[in-house]
């Protein structure tokens, strides 16, 4: 609905022919389904339907919200919004036409009309709900949007609660705050997929504290309170993963325990399954394989109620990882078989949003880790090669991880030249990915290869690796 404070645009909508061409022969409904699938691939959640596509193509929506923009960029790599027929966001909002301290230009359009920042079912950083906002005015909501886009969830807490993070909340928390916490989770996951955890973890603590401060705010709807608890728990898991991947195992364990406690308080089996899933992964990496098995089994107990075969497949893989570290080949093979059977049932509507990373490449990568732990390096390398080949190019961290695992298995399996080549590719990726875990894996490969400088490429890799380690 148009804002009552905005002047109507005298111009009729102009059809977006460029976007219509991108749809091609697909119907609006088929294209909307493709948009939703692409959103799940990058951790976004959009309620796209044929009507939305029609509004874009007719020119009623002149620019998409931030969540949709990220999805469209994912669907059409290399294209900018202008190439898709969208004008610059600031011109649609009319901000470039405003004078300092003055009223909007007569040609300014309402953001809700032309710039889809408040559409139903959206979740981008510009989203602010239209109900249950705790009495926040339109002007305050705009401040809230800009604060979150610039500074993250901590700034949202300061603006919406009227104080500083950690202070006793004096106001209601509503849809806007719940959406901000949810978007903070998505932003962290997206940045981690692209860049790794090391630099992100140092900045993630304050948004997490702000999210938990919001749990003490008064809410007018139980649905909002539930979203805040789930969002805070998922944020704790995301921050815990950043700690995990950057080698801070004690911090990660604390964050996962916090998420598990939040799940139990809220009676949220999906959050409980996620917290146990990550706890199992951490326990395996920290050298506590029996705890990994128990945590994975607890995750499966919680997850059975959710109806997601893909979730149960991942949890079976977490259990397999623990059995592999214990050296129990039979139990590991049994869990791997369950994982493959469940994965084969396909994706479903019940799959949790956070599982967008779990595709065939991750399945192969996790199985490779199991065979490596069992000492079968040849079989591990076969699965590792498939993981690298199947990896989504948008998930740079995962590509680096799969390739590092492959390099280590090739080195341990007596193929030093192929190992050096794979390790060299990891060094290239580490210019954009920051992960202590991947660097530690690469260092282990370098130690294995040092006696094999006679093999092609090994000496040059070791020279590059040593130089990179000294400059780190």
């Amino acid at each position: 609905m148009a804002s009552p404070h905005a002047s109507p645009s005298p111009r009729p909508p102009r059809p977006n022919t460029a976007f219509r061409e991108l749809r091609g022969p697909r119907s609006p409904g088929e294209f909307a389904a493709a948009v939703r699938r692409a959103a799940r691939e990058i951790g976004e959640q959009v309620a796209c339907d044929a009507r939305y596509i029609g509004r874009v193509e007719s020119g009623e929506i002149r620019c998409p919200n931030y969540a949709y923009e990220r999805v469209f960029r994912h669907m059409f790599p290399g294209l900018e919004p202008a190439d898709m027929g969208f004008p610059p966001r600031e011109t649609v909002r009319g901000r470039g036409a405003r004078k300092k301290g003055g009223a909007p230009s007569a040609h300014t359009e309402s953001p809700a009309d032309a710039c889809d920042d408040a559409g139903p079912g959206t979740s981008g950083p510009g989203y602010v709900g239209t109900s249950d906002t705790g009495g926040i005015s339109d002007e305050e909501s705009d401040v809230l949007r800009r604060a979150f886009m610039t500074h993250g969830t901590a700034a949202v807490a300061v603006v919406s609660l009227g104080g500083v993070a950690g202070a006793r909340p004096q106001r209601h928390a509503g849809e806007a705050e719940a959406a901000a916490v949810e978007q903070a989770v998505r932003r962290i996951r997206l940045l981690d997929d692209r860049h790794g955890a090391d630099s992100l973890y140092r900045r993630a603590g304050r948004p997490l504290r702000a999210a938990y401060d919001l749990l003490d705010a008064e809410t007018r709807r139980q649905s909002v309170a539930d979203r805040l608890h789930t969002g805070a728990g998922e944020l704790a898991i995301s921050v815990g993963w950043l700690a995990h991947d950057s080698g801070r195992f004690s911090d990660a364990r604390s964050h996962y325990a916090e998420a598990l406690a939040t799940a139990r308080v809220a009676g949220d089996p999906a959050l409980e399954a996620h917290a146990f899933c990550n706890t199992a992964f951490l326990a395996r990496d920290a050298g506590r394989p029996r705890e990994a098995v128990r945590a994975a089994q607890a995750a499966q107990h919680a997850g059975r109620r959710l109806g997601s075969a893909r979730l149960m497949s991942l949890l079976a893989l977490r259990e397999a990882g623990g059995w592999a570290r214990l050296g129990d080949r039979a139990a590991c093979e049994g869990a791997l078989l369950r994982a493959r059977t469940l994965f084969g049932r396909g994706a479903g509507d019940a799959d949790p949003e956070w599982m967008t990373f779990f595709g065939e490449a991750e399945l192969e990568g996790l199985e490779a880790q199991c065979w490596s732990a069992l000492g079968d390096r040849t079989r591990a390398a076969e699965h590792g090669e498939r993981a690298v080949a199947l990896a989504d190019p948008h998930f740079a961290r995962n590509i680096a991880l799969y390739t590092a695992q492959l390099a280590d298995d090739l080195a341990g399996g007596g193929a030093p030249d192929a190992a050096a080549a794979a390790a060299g590719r990891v060094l290239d990726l580490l210019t954009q990915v920051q992960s202590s875990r991947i660097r530690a894996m690469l260092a282990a490969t370098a130690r294995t290869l040092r006696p094999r400088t006679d093999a092609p490429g090994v000496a040059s890799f070791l020279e590059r690796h040593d130089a990179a380690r000294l400059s780190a």
Side-chain angles (χ1 to χ4, degrees):
M1 181 168 62
S3 166
H5 305 296
S7 300
S9 171
R11 296 170 296 179
R14 178 179 300 173
N16 187 337
T17 56
F19 194 83
R20 173 62 188 88
E21 290 179 5
L22 291 173
R23 174 160 65 89
R26 289 172 288 187
S27 71
E30 290 170 338
F31 189 69
V35 171
R36 295 194 299 272
R37 286 195 299 271
R40 290 194 294 270
E41 289 172 2
I42 62 171
E44 292 291 354
Q45 187 173 21
V46 295
C48 188
D49 55 17
R51 180 174 176 272
Y52 179 89
I53 300 302
R55 292 179 66 201
V56 173
E57 292 180 357
S58 70
E60 182 182 349
I61 294 175
R62 293 180 60 203
C63 71
N65 72 15
Y66 293 91
Y68 275 106
E69 181 178 324
R70 284 189 290 276
V71 174
F72 294 151
R73 286 179 181 273
H74 174 64
M75 292 178 70
F76 307 108
L79 295 187
E80 294 295 323
D83 302 319
M84 304 175 199
F86 299 118
R89 191 176 301 276
E90 62 270 16
T91 64
V92 176
R93 283 188 175 278
R95 287 173 180 168
R98 298 183 187 184
K99 296 180 180 179
K100 187 176 181 180
S105 156
H107 297 291
T108 299
E109 297 172 82
S110 163
D113 278 340
C115 201
D116 181 38
D117 278 351
T122 60
S123 59
Y127 173 78
V128 173
T130 56
S131 62
D132 194 25
T133 57
I136 298 175
S137 67
D138 289 342
E139 181 179 358
E140 287 175 314
S141 292
D142 192 54
V143 171
L144 189 65
R145 280 192 290 265
R146 286 184 279 111
F148 178 70
M149 285 188 287
T150 306
H151 302 294
T153 311
V156 169
V158 171
V159 172
S160 62
L161 299 181
V164 297
R168 181 177 179 79
Q170 298 298 317
R171 300 187 61 173
H172 294 285
E175 296 276 357
E177 290 75 17
V181 175
E182 290 161 355
Q183 185 57 24
V185 176
R186 296 187 182 103
R187 282 181 68 183
I188 286 176
R189 288 174 184 162
L190 183 61
L191 290 169
D192 172 53
D193 287 335
R194 291 177 177 172
H195 305 294
D198 287 11
S199 62
L200 288 174
Y201 180 67
R202 292 190 292 272
R203 302 196 300 270
R206 189 170 178 233
L208 179 60
R209 290 192 297 273
Y212 272 91
D213 284 342
L214 289 170
L215 297 186
D216 203 35
E218 186 176 351
T219 57
R220 294 175 178 172
R221 294 183 182 179
Q222 184 60 42
S223 61
V224 171
D226 292 342
R227 285 177 64 191
L228 286 170
H229 275 85
T230 298
E234 290 290 349
L235 190 57
I237 291 172
S238 292
V239 175
W241 164 248
L242 297 179
H244 180 172
D245 197 40
S246 57
R248 300 172 173 90
F249 288 178
S250 179
D251 288 354
R253 187 179 179 88
S254 176
H255 290 307
Y256 293 159
E258 187 172 36
L260 182 58
T262 303
R264 293 283 177 79
V265 168
D268 187 336
L271 181 60
E272 181 176 343
H274 193 185
F276 272 129
C277 175
N278 278 45
T279 299
F281 194 10
L282 174 66
R284 189 206 69 173
D285 284 357
R288 297 191 300 271
R290 292 192 187 280
E291 180 184 331
V293 170
R294 289 194 297 269
Q297 291 171 343
Q300 291 169 76
H301 179 75
R304 286 191 186 98
R305 292 172 273 175
L306 305 177
S308 169
R310 283 288 166 91
L311 172 62
M312 296 303 290
S313 173
L314 176 61
L315 299 179
L317 285 165
R318 295 287 186 242
E319 182 183 343
W323 289 124
R325 292 298 175 96
L326 285 168
D328 191 330
R329 187 184 183 101
C332 179
E333 288 182 338
L336 288 175
L337 179 59
R338 291 202 317 274
R340 289 232 169 234
T341 301
L342 289 160
F343 188 89
R345 295 179 185 174
D349 293 338
D351 297 343
E353 181 183 340
W354 58 268
M355 286 190 63
T356 53
F357 75 95
F358 185 55
E360 194 173 357
E362 183 72 6
L363 176 73
E364 296 288 350
L366 291 176
E367 183 161 352
Q369 292 175 15
C370 289
W371 292 117
S372 182
L374 288 169
D376 192 338
R377 296 299 192 115
T378 301
R379 198 165 181 178
E382 291 172 357
H383 287 281
E385 287 171 350
R386 287 200 286 270
V388 173
L390 292 166
D392 187 325
H394 290 85
F395 292 166
R397 190 198 65 82
N398 283 4
I399 294 173
L401 177 64
Y402 302 149
T403 310
Q405 177 70 46
L406 173 60
D408 192 55
D409 289 324
L410 289 168
D417 49 347
R425 295 197 297 272
V426 178
L427 283 175
D428 294 336
L429 288 166
L430 287 178
T431 61
Q432 57 179 303
V433 173
Q434 299 179 26
S435 169
S436 296
R437 187 160 68 111
I438 294 173
R439 286 200 300 271
M441 293 168 68
L442 201 59
T445 301
R447 288 193 296 272
T448 303
L449 290 177
R450 285 200 186 279
R452 297 302 311 273
T453 53
D454 58 314
V458 171
S460 60
F461 159 67
L462 292 174
E463 184 177 347
R464 286 185 62 200
H465 176 264
D466 292 344
R469 187 177 56 182
L470 289 173
S471 63

